[in-house]
Amino acid sequence: MSAPKYLAIINKIELMIRSGEYPEGGKLPTHRELAHQLGTTPITVAKAYKELAEKKLIESFVGRGSFVCNHSQLSDVIKAESREQESNLSILQPCLSSDIVERLNQVFSQVLVRGNDDLFGYAEHTGLLHHREMGAHWARKFGLDVASGEQMVLVNGAQHALSALIECYTQPGDCIAVEALTYPGILSLVNLLGRKAVAIPIDQHGMIPQELDSICRETPIAMVIIVPSHQNPTAATMSVERRQQLADVIHQHQIWLAEDNIYGFLNPSVIPAITNFVPEYGFHITSLSKAISPGLRCGYIKTPDTEYERLAAFIRTTIWLPSPIVFAAASLLIASGEAFDMAKEQRNMAIRRQILAREILGHFEIHAQPDSYHLWLMLPEFWNTDAFTLAAKNKGILVSSASYFCADPRAPVPHAIRLSLMAIKSEPELMVALNKLADLLRKNARFDYTHC
Ligand SMILES: Cc1ncc(COP(=O)(O)O)c(C=O)c1O
């Protein structure tokens, strides 16, 4: 006697999840669709889905459907390592050409030749004042009003800045307002630390101030996290007016602001930070990960005057201080001006690559600034977002599905993917990958479940 049909469906779906054919966070066909494809009844499929949910492999939401459980959201969206034959359009990092790597090696040799006991002992105040001054100098160039390095706290990159601010300035169970589509690292942190993400609607200029205002009136919000320039994933950059309006709402409701300005160096002209308009509530975050190298793990937080001691004590208690050796290298690059040259070179490369991408994908709806590292590509109607991500992976191209960026798990997933244009080192390889995506976008492909 053959096994009941629903068990065969369970085995098949489980295999497809484990092999990555159904990606984490990906949507499964509806009961009716799958039943139709397999020549069975929706009740049999429902029974299979129920068991898969009990095994914590999938989750079902009334009105939205069933999804593969997300066990490693960050590692899934950001593929730091790709196989040799894969083209990685999923990771947002600068182009680490051999020239850049050589310059970084040189600066580290300089540091190690000259290193003194300052660099090898414990230091007060989350780091040496000179390193904090260099952080202030870097952030000032890209629109932050900061009087001196004494207002700066050193951290291990922007991700560490976000986690420190959430832990230090909010409590478990607190609500944190975020852009409705946002960087998954923010969502993972908020969830991991037991806070609740509240999705604030966005438009082509970023978070909508009136929406933040009305949510603050209904719900106690402890903190708002905003990415004001080249937002991840939509690439929106806020005008000065939008920044001022958001600052007014923050001021009115007296909530903390974590302004993650990690892509501010890409703006063609300096745009004032939101923090400038609410210095008493604003923490401004920068890092060298996108302009120079994510491996440096160099980040800087400018604190409100009243908050420096509290945040510095938090950093001291949790990690003592970030490694002075890497900040010494970063400070040499900033002081000599080389860091700004490197940032400009990356920006010029981004401009060239955005032009290439528009030449190849120009028939499709694209959202990006002319100098963004990434673009937000709207898919043709017939392509399901996760199905497209999987089909691209099968062609050796890693892209990021919109489902990873949704702050509200009940909201419909936009029909879009994020493409990073910078991680691939060679432009010809990037063009080959973009052309393959363009071919795929034109195809009306669907999953074939007949082999279930
Ligand atoms: C908006 C945003 N914030 C923070 C980070 C993490 O930056 P870091 O490498 O400095 O921790 C990223 C990385 O993609 C990002 O896009």
Side-chain angles (χ1 to χ4, degrees):
M1 210 171 76
S2 65
K5 186 119 192 181
Y6 82 95
L7 287 181
I9 298 174
I10 292 173
N11 287 342
K12 191 72 202 174
I13 293 183
E14 209 173 322
L15 256 179
M16 288 170 91
I17 292 173
R18 302 222 184 274
S19 69
E21 255 179 280
Y22 276 144
E24 283 188 8
K27 190 169 187 203
L28 294 163
T30 62
H31 299 168
R32 193 180 292 273
E33 279 166 2
L34 195 54
H36 179 69
Q37 285 158 16
L38 301 179
T40 182
T41 65
I43 294 175
T44 308
V45 175
K47 199 168 168 190
Y49 278 14
K50 187 161 172 280
E51 283 218 6
L52 286 163
E54 278 163 14
K55 288 179 162 195
K56 303 252 181 288
L57 284 170
I58 71 168
E59 280 177 297
S60 300
F61 301 91
V62 179
R64 272 191 74 210
S66 301
F67 298 81
V68 179
C69 283
N70 248 324
H71 295 295
S72 56
Q73 199 181 39
L74 250 196
S75 61
D76 219 59
V77 67
I78 300 167
K79 295 280 183 207
E81 284 174 18
S82 41
R83 278 179 262 149
E84 214 172 278
Q85 67 280 21
E86 279 175 341
S87 298
N88 195 342
L89 297 172
S90 80
I91 186 157
L92 262 178
Q93 67 177 24
C95 182
L96 296 174
S97 62
S98 48
D99 173 48
I100 300 284
V101 173
E102 178 54 28
R103 281 148 86 182
L104 289 171
N105 279 327
Q106 275 170 13
V107 79
F108 269 94
S109 331
Q110 257 177 290
V111 168
L112 293 176
V113 166
R114 287 212 234 132
N116 54 32
D117 58 355
D118 271 4
L119 296 188
F120 297 110
Y122 286 117
E124 301 265 329
H125 304 297
T126 85
L128 303 175
L129 183 57
H130 171 63
H131 297 170
R132 291 156 61 210
E133 289 290 2
M134 287 302 106
H137 180 48
W138 173 262
R140 209 177 277 127
K141 281 268 188 201
F142 303 115
L144 177 68
D145 288 344
V146 47
S148 90
E150 303 207 344
Q151 293 166 285
M152 304 300 271
V153 171
L154 304 184
V155 283
N156 291 319
Q159 188 72 11
H160 180 210
L162 289 162
S163 75
L165 291 174
I166 293 172
E167 281 208 88
C168 196
Y169 287 93
T170 69
Q171 300 292 322
D174 277 357
C175 290
I176 299 184
V178 297
E179 286 129 346
L181 293 170
T182 192
Y183 162 54
I186 294 176
L187 299 175
S188 300
L189 267 178
V190 172
N191 290 335
L192 179 78
L193 298 175
R195 278 63 165 174
K196 291 186 209 118
V198 177
I200 310 294
I202 52 177
D203 62 14
Q204 74 273 30
H205 307 294
M207 185 180 281
I208 304 173
Q210 296 76 5
E211 300 282 354
L212 177 64
D213 180 44
S214 69
I215 286 181
C216 286
R217 284 172 198 281
E218 287 163 14
T219 313
I221 297 289
M223 174 181 277
V224 56
I225 303 176
I226 302 177
V227 182
S229 295
H230 305 265
Q231 201 258 359
N232 184 0
T234 63
T237 295
M238 290 178 177
S239 63
V240 187
E241 295 69 37
R242 177 61 64 98
R243 292 170 193 232
Q244 276 170 328
Q245 289 162 356
L246 282 166
D248 288 346
V249 176
I250 289 162
H251 187 263
Q252 193 189 342
H253 294 282
Q254 304 184 354
I255 53 178
W256 295 118
L257 160 68
E259 179 178 17
D260 180 353
N261 197 24
I262 191 166
Y263 300 106
F265 72 95
L266 288 171
N267 291 332
S269 55
V270 175
I271 311 180
I274 306 173
T275 300
N276 297 354
F277 306 111
V278 268
E280 66 281 37
Y281 294 111
F283 292 87
H284 179 278
I285 301 169
T286 43
S287 113
L288 301 183
S289 295
K290 306 299 173 177
I292 317 275
S293 144
L296 285 179
R297 309 311 303 141
C298 281
Y300 308 91
I301 307 177
K302 187 222 162 197
T303 67
D305 288 344
T306 52
E307 300 307 314
Y308 173 78
E309 283 304 336
R310 181 172 169 191
L311 188 61
F314 180 87
I315 300 291
R316 221 172 10 251
T317 308
T318 47
I319 64 158
W320 264 115
L321 74 161
S323 166
I325 298 165
V326 282
F327 278 92
S331 300
L332 273 181
L333 288 171
I334 295 171
S336 68
E338 198 173 355
F340 299 98
D341 295 341
M342 288 165 96
K344 206 187 218 168
E345 280 170 37
Q346 294 288 352
R347 179 172 176 268
N348 288 340
M349 199 181 302
I351 293 174
R352 268 203 319 275
R353 291 178 175 212
Q354 286 286 345
I355 293 171
L356 284 180
R358 274 164 206 277
E359 278 169 10
I360 297 169
L361 301 171
H363 295 302
F364 305 97
E365 188 181 335
I366 290 175
H367 298 259
Q369 309 302 319
D371 33 24
S372 300
Y373 272 16
H374 61 287
L375 54 86
W376 186 238
L377 177 76
M378 305 311 291
L379 300 176
E381 268 307 302
F382 54 78
W383 266 115
N384 161 293
T385 307
D386 289 312
F388 184 83
T389 306
L390 179 57
K393 185 165 190 272
N394 289 339
K395 295 228 170 279
I397 304 163
L398 306 181
V399 305
S400 307
S401 155
S403 54
Y404 297 120
F405 304 96
C406 292
D408 179 354
R410 292 156 309 173
V413 176
H415 224 57
I417 52 166
R418 188 196 71 186
L419 298 182
S420 161
L421 302 179
M422 297 294 281
I424 294 180
K425 287 188 197 140
S426 100
E427 284 180 8
E429 184 193 333
L430 174 68
M431 286 167 74
V432 170
L434 291 173
N435 274 308
K436 281 190 196 166
L437 284 183
D439 284 347
L440 208 52
L441 284 163
R442 287 186 208 103
K443 281 197 186 126
N444 185 352
R446 293 203 185 280
F447 275 132
D448 178 9
Y449 297 109
T450 48
H451 53 295
C452 279

